[in-house]
Amino acid sequence: MSLRHAVLGLLSEGPASGYDLLKLFDVSLSHVWPATQSQLYGELGKLAEAGLVSVSAEGPRGRKEYAVTEAGLAELRHWITGVEATQVTRSDMLLRVFFLAQVDPEQARAYLRRQAELVAERLERLRGVQALLQGDQDNLSVYGTIVLEYGLRLGAAQQEWAEWAAGQIHQPPAQTGLKADPGRALSDPADQ
């Protein structure tokens, strides 16, 4: 996804100013695809130059309202229905977890407990957004609720995992003199 498609998607629901779009981002897309004011206004300029949006109205103090063009709708629809290449998901947090053996076990547990707390905080914010959307039947609310539910379910799973993972960290076993053979591939215990 790109900011370009997020802006086109929001404008496909109706004309809006940059300020209006920023407010919409704050209550709908910021948990999926955050954007700053400068990024948003910069993208609006690029979209206008590309003919994907146009200024539909101008108000006092230079306020501009933008509308998606037919070319913009075509771009959005092409992006929505396009086939995504399989991507490897990168996670800074999981990379850190992979190397937690390099810190004291209590530090490792604290790191994982903090991850659970961070997810709990994010879930609380999402529940606040969920309360705002209840009962609304416009497109952004209906499909936003579907995306929000994904975030809530994923967050619950992440929180449960982090709490479980913290419980898996024990004091390191006494050194036995055995070292891992880096040339040996990890194998499934069922193969042995």
Side-chain angles (χ1 to χ4, degrees), residues 180-189 191-192:
D181 179 358
R184 184 172 166 244
L186 294 176
S187 62
D188 187 331
D191 294 341
Q192 297 178 0

Side-chain angles (χ1 to χ4, degrees), residues 107-145:
Q107 289 176 304
R109 284 188 290 275
Y111 176 79
L112 290 163
R113 285 191 298 265
R114 180 65 182 138
Q115 294 309 307
E117 291 169 4
L118 291 170
V119 173
E121 291 168 11
R122 187 172 71 233
L123 285 170
E124 201 57 39
R125 288 190 304 272
L126 290 177
R127 287 185 189 104
V129 172
Q130 184 180 38
L132 294 173
L133 293 177
Q134 287 185 344
D136 291 345
Q137 292 301 308
D138 60 278
N139 286 339
L140 292 179
S141 296
V142 170
Y143 291 98
T145 298

